[in-house]
Amino acid sequence: YRENRDEVCATKKNNIYAHVYSRTIHVPCPNTECPSKTENSLQEAMIIQDPKTLRVTYMCVPCGNEWTI
């Protein structure tokens, strides 16, 4: 079973509206063009954990950038 990559990307971008994920304001977005760099009140990241590998991924709410630490 393979997922369509376009559908996965669209689903991830819609995750910013789901309030079931943990969120933090203490992890800054690494994207230099993120709106949260100029307006600090926008700084918010979702915490997404892969249930199989337990790897934590952060997703910036204002710009949609994803990264791991």
Side-chain angles (χ1 to χ4, degrees), residues 11-47:
T11 302
K12 284 186 177 184
K13 289 186 179 187
N14 287 331
N15 280 343
I16 63 170
Y17 304 109
H19 293 285
V20 296
Y21 293 105
S22 299
R23 294 168 183 251
T24 183
I25 59 170
H26 301 291
V27 180
C29 180
N31 181 5
T32 57
E33 297 179 9
C34 180
S36 68
K37 297 294 183 185
T38 57
E39 189 172 337
N40 201 20
S41 65
L42 294 176
Q43 183 173 314
E44 182 180 9
M46 292 180 10
I47 303 168

Side-chain angles (χ1 to χ4, degrees), residues 48-57 68-69:
I48 304 169
Q49 187 174 26
D50 185 346
K52 293 180 182 176
T53 63
L54 300 178
R55 184 176 183 182
V56 175
T57 302
T68 58
I69 296 179

Side-chain angles (χ1 to χ4, degrees), residues 2-14:
R2 287 188 179 216
E3 296 180 12
N4 185 351
R5 285 199 88 27
D6 293 334
E7 289 176 11
V8 171
C9 290
T11 302
K12 284 186 177 184
K13 289 186 179 187
N14 287 331

